[in-house]
Amino acid sequence: MSHEHHHHHTDNKKALLLALILIFTLVIVEVIGGLLTNSLALLADAGHMLSDFFAIGLALIAFKVGERAASKSKTFGYRRFEILAALVNGAVLVGISGFVLWQAIQRFQEPPEVAGGGVLAFASFALVINLLIAWIFLRGGDVKGNLNLRGAFFHVLGDIVSTIGVLVAGLLILFFNWTLADPIISIVVALLILTAGFRIVKESAHVLMEGKPPGISLQKVEKQLKELPHVHSLHDLHLWSITSDFPALSCHLVVGDGADRDALLREATHMLKKEFHISHAVIQIEGEGMECTTMCSNPHPSP
């Protein structure tokens, strides 16, 4: 594990732990607020925050588990656990959005009385804490590079938007006594959670299906490998990611007779690391006769 990677990991964990503590406090406050003011929007927001609490707890566990060393049965260690965590996260988001939608539709039939002023006060408090949490993430963690942390961060962004929604609902109820604002805002929140959840499910499924890492062009990798000295052709090129910031590659290079294979291997490995940040590459170098035994229809290659 590179020093930089390790540094990210520690920061990621710190950011997550701090966020966890703040979110838990906020959930308690919002549940009390929702019950006192009779606001579904506040309760939905609390439910949303609770889902975040689980999501971020899951992300934290994933980092801890991911640090466990490789073993005889799991040769890559537990790095992929965080992708599983992200998948569960996304699925939870989708589920919660469904629940909130269903609740909101029920409220349309008979909108209850909601205390606007109280909603406003609780939502303002929630917004301040949420912005603080987002700031902790952006300052302390590697949101761009890590799918696990990005999943958790999307939860927080969803929170900010939903809390602003609750705030608006509070204003509308306070000034115009428009109680329908409560379920309407809940629906907007639900749709937001739904899209984030869907995206995370899609991305983590891509990793689990051994899909190509999004930042790397397969054509470019192939072209650069073919341009190496003495390389005639290549086959069985595979590019996938173990986890969100850990790409891997395997490939067979067919070389001419005069090739210095060790030098070629060094050069190929260096190129992949420098150009594409692929530090886990397995390269098989073979002569031209060899390729035919695996690739050609003629089972007896000419000597």
Side-chain angles (χ1 to χ4, degrees):
M1 192 187 285
S2 69
H3 172 69
E4 183 197 11
H5 185 103
H6 189 75
H7 167 73
H8 272 332
H9 241 71
T10 330
D11 285 351
N12 286 345
K13 281 192 312 203
K14 271 197 207 126
L16 288 172
L17 192 61
L18 202 50
L20 264 186
I21 296 164
L22 285 171
I23 287 176
F24 192 69
T25 320
L26 196 48
V27 169
I28 307 289
V29 171
E30 284 203 315
V31 167
I32 295 170
L35 295 173
L36 287 176
T37 57
N38 194 19
S39 159
L40 171 72
L42 262 181
L43 283 173
D45 206 42
H48 189 187
M49 293 297 288
L50 189 65
S51 82
D52 284 15
F53 179 73
F54 290 129
I56 290 172
L58 200 57
L60 191 60
I61 294 167
F63 278 128
K64 286 308 285 180
V65 172
E67 282 170 1
R68 285 168 63 173
S71 65
K72 284 194 175 69
S73 66
K74 302 212 173 21
T75 56
F76 275 113
Y78 287 78
R79 299 293 298 277
R80 193 159 261 202
F81 184 84
E82 56 180 86
I83 299 295
L84 285 172
L87 185 68
V88 173
N89 259 354
V92 166
L93 281 178
V94 173
I96 282 180
S97 60
F99 175 75
V100 172
L101 282 172
W102 175 70
Q103 284 291 322
I105 288 165
Q106 305 220 304
R107 282 220 157 181
F108 272 112
Q109 272 119 37
E110 37 186 312
E113 270 305 303
V114 181
V119 174
L120 200 59
F122 280 104
S124 307
F125 174 74
L127 185 61
V128 172
I129 302 288
N130 270 323
L131 289 169
L132 182 64
I133 294 168
W135 181 74
I136 289 169
F137 266 86
L138 286 174
R139 234 194 100 246
D142 174 25
V143 174
K144 269 208 281 297
N146 190 294
L147 185 60
N148 190 21
L149 198 71
R150 196 155 78 233
F153 183 67
F154 269 126
H155 280 258
V156 177
L157 282 189
D159 275 341
I160 289 177
V161 176
S162 86
T163 309
I164 291 173
V166 178
L167 226 143
V168 171
L171 284 168
L172 289 172
I173 293 165
L174 189 63
F175 289 109
F176 304 105
N177 203 9
W178 193 46
T179 27
L180 273 185
D182 201 58
I184 288 172
I185 293 299
S186 308
I187 286 179
V188 174
V189 173
L191 293 175
L192 244 144
I193 318 176
L194 188 66
T195 47
F198 182 70
R199 184 146 79 248
I200 292 164
V201 168
K202 206 175 103 198
E203 285 185 26
S204 36
H206 181 74
V207 174
L208 292 174
M209 297 289 298
E210 307 289 357
K212 181 185 76 62
I216 305 175
S217 148
L218 197 64
Q219 284 82 5
K220 268 196 191 134
V221 173
E222 191 170 345
K223 183 170 163 292
Q224 302 242 49
L225 282 169
K226 278 182 176 159
E227 281 170 4
L228 292 169
H230 302 292
V231 174
H232 291 196
S233 64
L234 56 89
H235 58 97
D236 287 312
L237 174 60
H238 296 288
L239 182 56
W240 71 101
S241 40
I242 306 304
T243 180
S244 51
D245 38 14
F246 184 171
L249 173 143
S250 73
C251 155
H252 294 223
L253 299 180
V254 180
V255 300
D257 291 340
D260 175 346
R261 294 187 174 197
D262 281 351
L264 174 62
L265 196 53
R266 254 196 309 274
E267 198 172 334
T269 314
H270 177 73
M271 183 276 288
L272 288 168
K273 203 168 185 161
K274 191 167 146 285
E275 299 285 319
F276 302 104
H277 307 292
I278 298 171
S279 46
H280 187 92
V282 181
I283 298 166
Q284 177 168 317
I285 298 178
E286 46 198 50
E288 293 188 84
M290 166 89 183
E291 178 191 19
C292 271
T293 56
T294 55
M295 301 290 285
C296 301
S297 50
N298 173 11
H300 306 292
S302 52

